[in-house]
Amino acid sequence: MSMDDLNRELINFLKNMQTFNLKMSQDWDSLQVAWRDADALWNDDETRTRFDHDWKEMGDALQRYRSKESKEYEEFLVSRKRALDRYYGRR
C-alpha cells in the first residue's frame, strides 16, 4: 500500500467512524428515552431484574464507548492524519 493509498484510506475510515459515532450517539439517546418510557410498564420485578442484568454489560460498554472511547479513538486517528499531512508537507 502506498502512502497515498494509506492517506485516502485513513480519511475514508475517519469519516466513516465519525458517521458511525454520530448515529450510535443518536440511537443511544433514543434507547435511553425508550427505556425511561418503559419503566412505567414493568409489572414484574423479576422480569425487570433479569432485563437489567442481561443488558447491563452491553449498556455499560456502549455508554463507555460513547462518552470516552469514541472521542479518544477519533483524536488518535486525527493525530495520525496530521502526521501524514506533515509528512506530505501539507498544512
Coordinates of all heavy atoms in Angstrom, one line a residue:
M1 N 0.8 -1.2 0.0 CA 0.0 0.0 0.0 C 0.9 1.2 0.0 O 1.8 1.4 0.8 CB -0.9 0.0 1.2 CG -1.7 1.2 1.4 SD -2.8 1.2 2.9 CE -4.2 0.3 2.3
S2 N 0.6 2.1 -0.9 CA 1.4 3.4 -1.0 C 1.0 4.3 0.1 O -0.1 4.2 0.7 CB 1.2 4.0 -2.4 OG 0.0 4.6 -2.5
M3 N 1.8 5.4 0.4 CA 1.4 6.4 1.3 C 0.2 7.1 0.9 O -0.7 7.5 1.7 CB 2.6 7.3 1.6 CG 3.8 6.7 2.3 SD 3.4 6.0 3.9 CE 3.4 7.6 4.8
D4 N 0.0 7.3 -0.4 CA -1.2 8.0 -0.9 C -2.4 7.1 -0.6 O -3.5 7.6 -0.2 CB -1.1 8.2 -2.4 CG -0.1 9.3 -2.8 OD1 0.1 10.2 -1.9 OD2 0.4 9.4 -3.9
D5 N -2.3 5.8 -0.8 CA -3.4 4.9 -0.5 C -3.7 4.9 1.0 O -4.9 5.0 1.4 CB -3.1 3.5 -0.9 CG -3.0 3.3 -2.4 OD1 -3.6 4.1 -3.2 OD2 -2.4 2.3 -2.9
L6 N -2.7 4.9 1.8 CA -2.9 5.0 3.2 C -3.6 6.3 3.6 O -4.5 6.2 4.4 CB -1.5 4.9 3.9 CG -1.6 5.0 5.5 CD1 -2.4 3.9 6.1 CD2 -0.1 5.0 6.0
N7 N -3.2 7.4 3.0 CA -3.8 8.6 3.3 C -5.3 8.6 3.0 O -6.2 9.0 3.8 CB -3.1 9.8 2.6 CG -3.5 11.1 3.1 OD1 -3.5 11.4 4.3 ND2 -3.8 12.0 2.1
R8 N -5.6 8.1 1.8 CA -7.0 8.0 1.4 C -7.8 7.1 2.3 O -9.0 7.4 2.6 CB -7.1 7.5 -0.1 CG -6.9 8.6 -1.1 CD -7.3 8.2 -2.5 NE -6.4 7.1 -3.0 CZ -5.2 7.3 -3.5 NH1 -4.7 8.5 -3.7 NH2 -4.5 6.2 -3.9
E9 N -7.2 6.0 2.6 CA -7.9 5.0 3.5 C -8.2 5.6 4.9 O -9.2 5.4 5.5 CB -7.1 3.7 3.6 CG -7.1 2.9 2.4 CD -8.5 2.4 2.0 OE1 -9.3 2.0 2.9 OE2 -8.9 2.3 0.8
L10 N -7.2 6.3 5.4 CA -7.3 7.0 6.7 C -8.4 8.0 6.7 O -9.3 8.1 7.6 CB -6.0 7.6 7.2 CG -6.0 8.2 8.5 CD1 -6.4 7.2 9.6 CD2 -4.6 8.8 8.8
I11 N -8.5 8.8 5.7 CA -9.5 9.8 5.5 C -10.9 9.2 5.4 O -11.8 9.6 6.1 CB -9.3 10.7 4.3 CG1 -8.1 11.6 4.5 CG2 -10.5 11.6 3.9 CD1 -7.6 12.3 3.2
N12 N -11.0 8.1 4.7 CA -12.3 7.4 4.5 C -12.7 6.8 5.8 O -13.9 6.8 6.2 CB -12.1 6.4 3.4 CG -13.4 5.7 3.1 OD1 -14.5 6.4 2.9 ND2 -13.4 4.4 2.9
F13 N -11.7 6.1 6.5 CA -12.1 5.4 7.7 C -12.5 6.5 8.8 O -13.5 6.2 9.5 CB -10.8 4.6 8.2 CG -11.1 3.9 9.5 CD1 -11.9 2.7 9.5 CD2 -10.6 4.3 10.7 CE1 -12.2 2.0 10.6 CE2 -10.9 3.6 11.9 CZ -11.7 2.5 11.8
L14 N -11.8 7.6 8.9 CA -12.2 8.6 9.8 C -13.6 9.2 9.6 O -14.4 9.3 10.5 CB -11.1 9.7 9.8 CG -11.2 10.8 10.8 CD1 -11.2 10.3 12.2 CD2 -10.1 11.8 10.6
K15 N -13.9 9.4 8.3 CA -15.3 9.9 8.0 C -16.3 8.8 8.4 O -17.4 9.2 8.9 CB -15.4 10.2 6.5 CG -14.7 11.5 6.1 CD -14.8 11.7 4.6 CE -14.0 12.9 4.2 NZ -14.1 13.1 2.7
N16 N -16.0 7.6 8.1 CA -17.0 6.5 8.4 C -17.1 6.4 9.9 O -18.2 6.1 10.4 CB -16.5 5.2 7.8 CG -16.8 5.1 6.3 OD1 -17.7 5.8 5.8 ND2 -16.0 4.4 5.6
M17 N -16.0 6.5 10.6 CA -16.1 6.4 12.1 C -16.9 7.5 12.7 O -17.7 7.4 13.6 CB -14.7 6.3 12.7 CG -14.8 5.9 14.2 SD -13.2 5.9 14.9 CE -13.1 7.7 15.4
Q18 N -16.7 8.7 12.2 CA -17.4 9.9 12.6 C -18.9 9.7 12.4 O -19.8 10.0 13.3 CB -16.9 11.2 12.0 CG -15.5 11.6 12.5 CD -14.8 12.6 11.7 OE1 -15.1 12.8 10.5 NE2 -13.9 13.4 12.3
T19 N -19.3 9.2 11.2 CA -20.7 9.0 10.9 C -21.2 7.9 11.8 O -22.4 8.1 12.4 CB -20.8 8.5 9.4 OG1 -20.3 9.5 8.6 CG2 -22.3 8.2 9.1
F20 N -20.5 6.8 12.1 CA -20.9 5.8 13.0 C -21.1 6.3 14.4 O -22.1 6.0 15.0 CB -19.9 4.6 13.0 CG -20.2 3.6 14.1 CD1 -21.1 2.6 13.9 CD2 -19.5 3.7 15.3 CE1 -21.4 1.7 14.9 CE2 -19.7 2.8 16.3 CZ -20.7 1.8 16.1
N21 N -20.2 7.1 14.9 CA -20.3 7.6 16.2 C -21.5 8.6 16.4 O -22.2 8.5 17.4 CB -19.0 8.4 16.6 CG -17.8 7.5 16.8 OD1 -18.0 6.3 17.1 ND2 -16.6 8.0 16.8
L22 N -21.8 9.4 15.4 CA -22.9 10.2 15.4 C -24.2 9.4 15.5 O -25.1 9.7 16.3 CB -22.9 11.2 14.2 CG -24.1 12.1 14.2 CD1 -24.2 13.1 15.4 CD2 -24.1 12.9 12.9
K23 N -24.3 8.4 14.6 CA -25.5 7.6 14.5 C -25.7 6.8 15.8 O -26.8 6.7 16.4 CB -25.4 6.7 13.3 CG -26.6 5.8 13.2 CD -27.9 6.5 12.8 CE -29.0 5.5 12.5 NZ -30.3 5.9 13.1
M24 N -24.6 6.3 16.3 CA -24.6 5.5 17.6 C -25.1 6.4 18.7 O -25.9 5.9 19.6 CB -23.3 4.9 17.9 CG -23.3 3.8 19.0 SD -23.2 4.6 20.6 CE -21.7 4.1 21.2
S25 N -24.6 7.6 18.8 CA -24.9 8.5 19.8 C -26.4 8.8 19.8 O -27.1 8.8 20.8 CB -24.1 9.8 19.7 OG -24.4 10.7 20.7
Q26 N -26.9 9.1 18.6 CA -28.4 9.3 18.4 C -29.2 8.1 18.8 O -30.2 8.3 19.5 CB -28.7 9.7 17.0 CG -28.1 11.1 16.6 CD -28.1 11.3 15.1 OE1 -28.2 10.4 14.3 NE2 -28.0 12.6 14.7
D27 N -28.8 7.0 18.4 CA -29.5 5.7 18.7 C -29.5 5.5 20.3 O -30.5 5.0 20.8 CB -28.9 4.5 18.0 CG -29.2 4.6 16.5 OD1 -30.1 5.4 16.1 OD2 -28.6 3.8 15.8
W28 N -28.3 5.8 20.9 CA -28.2 5.6 22.3 C -29.2 6.5 23.0 O -29.9 6.1 24.0 CB -26.8 5.9 22.8 CG -26.7 5.8 24.3 CD1 -26.6 6.8 25.2 CD2 -26.6 4.6 25.1 NE1 -26.5 6.3 26.4 CE2 -26.5 4.9 26.4 CE3 -26.7 3.2 24.7 CZ2 -26.4 4.0 27.4 CZ3 -26.6 2.3 25.8 CH2 -26.5 2.7 27.1
D29 N -29.3 7.8 22.6 CA -30.2 8.7 23.2 C -31.7 8.2 23.0 O -32.5 8.3 24.0 CB -30.1 10.1 22.6 CG -28.8 10.8 23.0 OD1 -28.1 10.3 24.0 OD2 -28.4 11.8 22.3
S30 N -32.0 7.7 21.9 CA -33.4 7.2 21.6 C -33.6 6.0 22.5 O -34.7 5.8 23.1 CB -33.5 6.8 20.2 OG -33.4 7.9 19.3
L31 N -32.7 5.1 22.7 CA -32.8 4.0 23.5 C -33.0 4.4 25.0 O -33.9 3.8 25.7 CB -31.6 3.1 23.4 CG -31.6 1.8 24.2 CD1 -32.8 0.9 23.8 CD2 -30.3 1.0 24.0
Q32 N -32.3 5.4 25.4 CA -32.5 5.8 26.8 C -33.9 6.4 27.0 O -34.5 6.1 28.1 CB -31.5 6.9 27.2 CG -30.0 6.4 27.2 CD -29.8 5.2 28.1 OE1 -30.1 5.3 29.3 NE2 -29.4 4.1 27.5
V33 N -34.4 7.1 26.1 CA -35.8 7.6 26.2 C -36.8 6.4 26.2 O -37.7 6.4 27.0 CB -36.1 8.5 25.0 CG1 -37.6 8.9 24.9 CG2 -35.3 9.8 25.1
A34 N -36.6 5.4 25.3 CA -37.5 4.2 25.3 C -37.4 3.5 26.6 O -38.4 3.0 27.1 CB -37.1 3.3 24.1
W35 N -36.2 3.3 27.2 CA -36.1 2.6 28.5 C -36.8 3.4 29.6 O -37.4 2.8 30.4 CB -34.6 2.4 28.8 CG -34.0 1.3 28.1 CD1 -34.6 0.3 27.3 CD2 -32.6 0.9 28.1 NE1 -33.8 -0.6 26.8 CE2 -32.5 -0.3 27.3 CE3 -31.5 1.4 28.7 CZ2 -31.3 -0.9 27.1 CZ3 -30.3 0.8 28.5 CH2 -30.2 -0.4 27.7
R36 N -36.7 4.7 29.6 CA -37.3 5.6 30.6 C -38.9 5.4 30.4 O -39.6 5.3 31.4 CB -36.9 7.0 30.5 CG -35.6 7.3 31.2 CD -35.4 8.8 31.3 NE -35.5 9.6 30.1 CZ -34.4 9.8 29.3 NH1 -33.2 9.4 29.7 NH2 -34.5 10.5 28.2
D37 N -39.3 5.4 29.2 CA -40.8 5.3 29.0 C -41.3 3.9 29.4 O -42.4 3.7 29.8 CB -41.1 5.5 27.5 CG -40.9 7.0 27.1 OD1 -40.8 7.9 28.0 OD2 -40.9 7.3 25.9
A38 N -40.4 2.9 29.2 CA -40.8 1.5 29.6 C -40.8 1.3 31.1 O -41.5 0.4 31.5 CB -39.9 0.5 28.9
D39 N -40.2 2.1 31.8 CA -40.2 2.0 33.3 C -41.6 1.9 33.9 O -41.8 1.1 34.8 CB -39.4 3.1 34.0 CG -37.9 3.0 33.9 OD1 -37.4 1.9 33.7 OD2 -37.2 4.0 34.2
A40 N -42.5 2.7 33.3 CA -43.9 2.6 33.9 C -44.6 1.4 33.5 O -45.6 1.0 34.1 CB -44.6 3.8 33.3
L41 N -44.1 0.6 32.5 CA -44.8 -0.6 32.1 C -44.3 -1.9 32.8 O -45.0 -2.9 32.6 CB -44.6 -0.8 30.6 CG -45.0 0.4 29.7 CD1 -44.6 0.1 28.3 CD2 -46.5 0.6 29.8
W42 N -43.3 -1.8 33.6 CA -42.8 -3.0 34.3 C -43.8 -3.4 35.3 O -44.0 -2.7 36.3 CB -41.4 -2.8 34.9 CG -40.3 -2.6 33.9 CD1 -39.6 -1.5 33.7 CD2 -39.7 -3.6 33.1 NE1 -38.6 -1.7 32.8 CE2 -38.6 -3.0 32.4 CE3 -39.9 -5.0 32.9 CZ2 -37.9 -3.7 31.5 CZ3 -39.1 -5.7 32.1 CH2 -38.1 -5.0 31.4
N43 N -44.3 -4.6 35.2 CA -45.3 -5.1 36.2 C -44.6 -6.2 37.0 O -45.1 -6.5 38.1 CB -46.5 -5.7 35.5 CG -47.3 -4.7 34.8 OD1 -47.4 -3.6 35.2 ND2 -47.8 -5.0 33.6
D44 N -43.5 -6.8 36.5 CA -42.9 -7.9 37.2 C -41.5 -7.6 37.6 O -40.6 -7.4 36.7 CB -42.9 -9.1 36.2 CG -42.4 -10.4 36.8 OD1 -41.6 -10.3 37.7 OD2 -42.8 -11.4 36.4
D45 N -41.2 -7.5 38.8 CA -39.9 -7.1 39.3 C -38.8 -8.1 38.8 O -37.7 -7.7 38.6 CB -39.8 -7.0 40.8 CG -40.6 -5.8 41.3 OD1 -40.7 -4.8 40.6 OD2 -41.0 -5.8 42.5
E46 N -39.2 -9.4 38.8 CA -38.2 -10.4 38.3 C -37.8 -10.2 36.9 O -36.7 -10.3 36.5 CB -38.8 -11.8 38.5 CG -37.8 -12.9 38.1 CD -38.5 -14.3 38.2 OE1 -39.4 -14.4 39.1 OE2 -38.0 -15.2 37.5
T47 N -38.8 -9.8 36.0 CA -38.5 -9.5 34.6 C -37.6 -8.3 34.5 O -36.6 -8.3 33.7 CB -39.8 -9.3 33.9 OG1 -40.7 -10.4 34.0 CG2 -39.6 -9.0 32.4
R48 N -37.9 -7.3 35.3 CA -37.0 -6.1 35.2 C -35.6 -6.4 35.7 O -34.6 -6.0 35.1 CB -37.6 -5.0 36.1 CG -36.8 -3.7 36.2 CD -36.6 -3.1 34.8 NE -35.7 -2.0 34.8 CZ -36.0 -0.8 34.7 NH1 -37.3 -0.4 34.7 NH2 -35.1 0.2 34.7
T49 N -35.5 -7.2 36.7 CA -34.2 -7.5 37.3 C -33.4 -8.3 36.2 O -32.2 -8.1 36.0 CB -34.3 -8.3 38.6 OG1 -35.1 -7.5 39.5 CG2 -33.0 -8.7 39.2
R50 N -34.1 -9.3 35.6 CA -33.4 -10.1 34.6 C -33.0 -9.3 33.4 O -31.9 -9.4 32.9 CB -34.4 -11.2 34.1 CG -33.6 -12.2 33.1 CD -34.5 -13.3 32.6 NE -35.2 -14.0 33.7 CZ -36.5 -14.3 33.8 NH1 -37.3 -13.9 32.8 NH2 -37.1 -14.9 34.8
F51 N -33.9 -8.4 32.9 CA -33.6 -7.5 31.8 C -32.3 -6.6 32.2 O -31.4 -6.5 31.4 CB -34.8 -6.6 31.5 CG -34.5 -5.6 30.4 CD1 -34.5 -5.9 29.1 CD2 -34.1 -4.3 30.8 CE1 -34.3 -4.9 28.1 CE2 -33.8 -3.3 29.8 CZ -33.9 -3.6 28.5
D52 N -32.4 -6.0 33.3 CA -31.2 -5.1 33.7 C -30.0 -5.9 33.8 O -28.9 -5.5 33.4 CB -31.5 -4.5 35.1 CG -32.6 -3.4 35.0 OD1 -32.9 -2.9 33.8 OD2 -33.1 -3.0 36.0
H53 N -30.0 -7.1 34.3 CA -28.8 -8.0 34.4 C -28.3 -8.4 33.1 O -27.1 -8.3 32.8 CB -29.1 -9.2 35.3 CG -28.0 -10.1 35.4 ND1 -27.8 -11.2 34.5 CD2 -26.9 -10.2 36.2 CE1 -26.7 -11.9 34.8 NE2 -26.1 -11.3 35.8
D54 N -29.2 -8.8 32.2 CA -28.8 -9.3 30.9 C -28.2 -8.2 30.0 O -27.3 -8.5 29.2 CB -30.0 -9.9 30.2 CG -30.4 -11.2 30.8 OD1 -29.7 -11.8 31.6 OD2 -31.5 -11.7 30.4
W55 N -28.7 -7.0 30.1 CA -28.2 -5.9 29.3 C -27.3 -4.9 29.9 O -26.8 -4.0 29.2 CB -29.4 -5.1 28.7 CG -30.2 -6.0 27.7 CD1 -31.3 -6.8 27.9 CD2 -29.8 -6.2 26.4 NE1 -31.6 -7.4 26.8 CE2 -30.7 -7.1 25.8 CE3 -28.8 -5.7 25.6 CZ2 -30.7 -7.5 24.5 CZ3 -28.7 -6.1 24.2 CH2 -29.7 -7.0 23.7
K56 N -26.9 -5.1 31.2 CA -26.1 -4.2 31.9 C -24.7 -4.1 31.2 O -24.2 -3.0 31.0 CB -25.9 -4.6 33.4 CG -25.0 -3.6 34.1 CD -24.9 -3.9 35.6 CE -24.1 -3.0 36.4 NZ -23.4 -1.9 35.8
E57 N -24.1 -5.2 31.0 CA -22.7 -5.2 30.4 C -22.7 -4.5 29.0 O -21.8 -3.7 28.8 CB -22.2 -6.7 30.3 CG -20.8 -6.7 29.8 CD -20.2 -8.2 29.8 OE1 -20.9 -9.1 30.4 OE2 -19.2 -8.3 29.2
M58 N -23.7 -4.8 28.2 CA -23.8 -4.2 26.9 C -24.0 -2.7 27.0 O -23.3 -1.8 26.4 CB -24.9 -4.8 26.0 CG -25.1 -4.0 24.7 SD -23.9 -4.3 23.5 CE -24.4 -5.8 22.9
G59 N -24.9 -2.3 27.9 CA -25.2 -0.9 28.1 C -24.0 -0.1 28.7 O -23.7 1.0 28.2
D60 N -23.3 -0.7 29.6 CA -22.1 -0.1 30.1 C -21.0 0.1 29.1 O -20.4 1.1 29.0 CB -21.5 -0.9 31.3 CG -22.4 -0.9 32.5 OD1 -23.3 -0.1 32.6 OD2 -22.1 -1.8 33.4
A61 N -20.8 -0.9 28.2 CA -19.8 -0.8 27.2 C -20.2 0.2 26.1 O -19.4 1.0 25.7 CB -19.7 -2.2 26.4
L62 N -21.5 0.3 25.8 CA -21.9 1.4 24.8 C -21.8 2.8 25.4 O -21.3 3.7 24.7 CB -23.4 1.1 24.4 CG -23.6 -0.1 23.5 CD1 -25.1 -0.4 23.3 CD2 -22.9 0.1 22.1
Q63 N -22.1 2.9 26.7 CA -22.0 4.2 27.3 C -20.5 4.6 27.4 O -20.2 5.8 27.2 CB -22.6 4.2 28.7 CG -22.6 5.5 29.5 CD -23.3 6.6 28.7 OE1 -24.3 6.4 28.0 NE2 -22.8 7.8 28.9
R64 N -19.7 3.7 27.8 CA -18.2 4.0 27.9 C -17.7 4.4 26.5 O -16.9 5.3 26.4 CB -17.5 2.7 28.4 CG -16.1 2.9 28.8 CD -15.4 1.7 29.4 NE -15.7 0.5 28.8 CZ -16.5 -0.5 29.2 NH1 -17.2 -0.3 30.3 NH2 -16.7 -1.6 28.5
Y65 N -18.1 3.6 25.5 CA -17.6 4.0 24.1 C -18.1 5.4 23.7 O -17.3 6.2 23.2 CB -18.1 2.9 23.1 CG -17.7 3.3 21.7 CD1 -16.4 3.0 21.3 CD2 -18.5 3.9 20.8 CE1 -16.0 3.3 20.0 CE2 -18.1 4.3 19.5 CZ -16.8 4.0 19.1 OH -16.4 4.4 17.9
R66 N -19.4 5.6 24.0 CA -19.9 6.9 23.6 C -19.3 8.1 24.4 O -19.0 9.1 23.8 CB -21.4 6.9 23.9 CG -22.0 8.3 23.5 CD -23.4 8.4 23.8 NE -23.9 9.7 23.4 CZ -24.9 10.3 23.8 NH1 -25.7 9.7 24.8 NH2 -25.3 11.5 23.4
S67 N -19.1 7.9 25.6 CA -18.6 9.0 26.5 C -17.1 9.2 26.5 O -16.7 10.3 26.7 CB -19.1 8.9 27.9 OG -18.5 7.7 28.5
K68 N -16.4 8.2 26.1 CA -14.9 8.3 26.2 C -14.2 7.7 25.1 O -13.4 8.4 24.4 CB -14.5 7.6 27.5 CG -13.0 7.7 27.8 CD -12.7 7.1 29.1 CE -11.2 7.3 29.4 NZ -10.5 6.2 29.7
E69 N -14.4 6.5 24.8 CA -13.5 5.7 23.8 C -13.7 6.2 22.4 O -12.7 6.3 21.7 CB -13.8 4.2 23.9 CG -13.4 3.7 25.3 CD -13.9 2.3 25.5 OE1 -14.7 1.7 24.7 OE2 -13.5 1.7 26.5
S70 N -14.9 6.6 22.0 CA -15.0 7.1 20.6 C -14.3 8.4 20.4 O -13.6 8.5 19.4 CB -16.5 7.3 20.3 OG -17.1 8.3 21.0
K71 N -14.3 9.3 21.4 CA -13.6 10.5 21.3 C -12.1 10.3 21.2 O -11.3 10.9 20.4 CB -13.9 11.4 22.4 CG -15.4 11.9 22.4 CD -15.8 12.6 23.6 CE -17.3 12.8 23.7 NZ -17.8 13.1 25.0
E72 N -11.6 9.4 22.1 CA -10.2 9.1 22.2 C -9.7 8.5 20.9 O -8.6 8.9 20.4 CB -9.9 8.2 23.3 CG -10.0 8.9 24.7 CD -9.8 7.9 25.9 OE1 -9.7 6.7 25.6 OE2 -9.8 8.4 27.0
Y73 N -10.4 7.6 20.3 CA -10.0 6.9 19.1 C -10.0 7.9 17.9 O -9.1 7.9 17.1 CB -10.9 5.7 18.8 CG -10.4 4.8 17.7 CD1 -9.0 4.4 17.8 CD2 -11.2 4.3 16.7 CE1 -8.5 3.6 16.8 CE2 -10.7 3.5 15.7 CZ -9.3 3.1 15.8 OH -8.8 2.3 14.8
E74 N -11.1 8.7 17.9 CA -11.1 9.7 16.8 C -9.9 10.7 16.9 O -9.3 11.0 15.9 CB -12.4 10.5 16.9 CG -12.7 11.5 15.7 CD -14.0 12.1 15.8 OE1 -15.0 11.5 16.3 OE2 -14.1 13.2 15.2
E75 N -9.6 11.1 18.1 CA -8.5 12.0 18.3 C -7.2 11.4 17.9 O -6.3 12.0 17.3 CB -8.4 12.5 19.8 CG -9.5 13.4 20.2 CD -9.6 13.7 21.7 OE1 -8.7 13.1 22.5 OE2 -10.5 14.4 22.1
F76 N -7.0 10.1 18.2 CA -5.9 9.3 17.7 C -5.8 9.3 16.2 O -4.7 9.6 15.7 CB -5.9 7.9 18.3 CG -4.9 7.0 17.7 CD1 -3.6 7.0 18.0 CD2 -5.3 6.1 16.7 CE1 -2.6 6.2 17.4 CE2 -4.4 5.2 16.1 CZ -3.0 5.3 16.5
L77 N -6.9 9.0 15.5 CA -6.9 9.0 14.1 C -6.6 10.4 13.5 O -5.8 10.5 12.5 CB -8.2 8.5 13.5 CG -8.4 7.0 13.8 CD1 -9.8 6.6 13.3 CD2 -7.4 6.1 13.1
V78 N -7.1 11.4 14.1 CA -6.9 12.8 13.6 C -5.4 13.1 13.8 O -4.8 13.7 12.9 CB -7.8 13.8 14.3 CG1 -7.3 15.2 14.1 CG2 -9.2 13.6 13.9
S79 N -4.8 12.7 14.9 CA -3.4 12.9 15.1 C -2.5 12.2 14.0 O -1.5 12.7 13.6 CB -2.9 12.6 16.5 OG -2.9 11.2 16.7
R80 N -2.9 11.0 13.7 CA -2.2 10.2 12.6 C -2.4 10.9 11.3 O -1.4 10.9 10.5 CB -2.7 8.8 12.6 CG -2.5 7.9 13.8 CD -1.0 7.8 14.2 NE -0.6 9.0 15.0 CZ 0.6 9.5 15.0 NH1 1.6 9.0 14.4 NH2 0.9 10.6 15.8
K81 N -3.6 11.4 11.0 CA -3.8 12.2 9.8 C -2.9 13.4 9.7 O -2.3 13.7 8.7 CB -5.3 12.5 9.7 CG -5.6 13.4 8.5 CD -5.5 12.7 7.2 CE -6.0 13.6 6.0 NZ -4.9 14.3 5.4
R82 N -2.8 14.1 10.8 CA -2.0 15.3 10.9 C -0.5 14.9 10.6 O 0.2 15.6 9.9 CB -2.1 16.0 12.2 CG -3.4 16.8 12.4 CD -3.4 17.6 13.6 NE -4.7 18.1 13.9 CZ -5.4 18.0 15.0 NH1 -4.9 17.3 16.0 NH2 -6.6 18.5 15.1
A83 N -0.1 13.8 11.2 CA 1.3 13.3 11.0 C 1.5 13.0 9.5 O 2.6 13.4 8.9 CB 1.6 12.1 11.8
L84 N 0.6 12.4 8.8 CA 0.7 12.2 7.4 C 0.7 13.5 6.6 O 1.5 13.6 5.6 CB -0.5 11.3 6.9 CG -0.3 9.8 7.0 CD1 -1.6 9.1 6.5 CD2 0.9 9.3 6.2
D85 N -0.1 14.4 7.0 CA -0.1 15.8 6.4 C 1.3 16.4 6.5 O 1.8 17.0 5.5 CB -1.2 16.7 6.9 CG -2.6 16.3 6.5 OD1 -2.7 15.5 5.5 OD2 -3.6 16.7 7.2
R86 N 1.8 16.3 7.7 CA 3.2 16.9 7.9 C 4.2 16.2 7.0 O 5.1 16.8 6.4 CB 3.6 16.8 9.3 CG 2.9 17.9 10.2 CD 3.6 18.0 11.6 NE 3.6 16.7 12.3 CZ 2.6 16.2 13.1 NH1 1.5 16.9 13.2 NH2 2.7 15.1 13.7
Y87 N 4.1 14.9 6.9 CA 5.0 14.1 6.1 C 4.9 14.6 4.6 O 5.9 14.7 3.9 CB 4.6 12.6 6.1 CG 5.3 11.7 5.2 CD1 6.6 11.2 5.6 CD2 4.8 11.3 4.0 CE1 7.3 10.4 4.7 CE2 5.5 10.5 3.1 CZ 6.7 10.0 3.5 OH 7.4 9.2 2.7
Y88 N 3.7 14.9 4.1 CA 3.5 15.4 2.8 C 3.7 16.9 2.6 O 3.6 17.4 1.5 CB 2.1 15.0 2.3 CG 1.9 13.6 1.9 CD1 1.1 12.7 2.6 CD2 2.6 13.1 0.7 CE1 0.9 11.4 2.2 CE2 2.4 11.8 0.3 CZ 1.6 11.0 1.1 OH 1.4 9.7 0.7
G89 N 4.0 17.5 3.7 CA 4.3 19.0 3.7 C 3.0 19.8 3.5 O 3.0 20.9 3.1
R90 N 1.9 19.2 3.9 CA 0.6 19.9 3.9 C 0.3 20.6 5.2 O 0.7 20.1 6.3 CB -0.6 18.9 3.6 CG -0.4 18.3 2.3 CD -1.7 17.4 2.1 NE -1.3 16.3 1.2 CZ -1.7 15.0 1.4 NH1 -2.4 14.7 2.4 NH2 -1.2 14.1 0.6
R91 N -0.3 21.7 5.2 CA -0.8 22.5 6.3 C 0.3 22.8 7.2 O 1.0 22.5 7.9 CB -1.8 21.7 7.1 CG -3.1 21.6 6.3 CD -4.2 21.0 7.2 NE -5.1 20.3 6.3 CZ -6.2 19.9 6.7 NH1 -6.6 20.0 7.9 NH2 -7.1 19.3 5.9

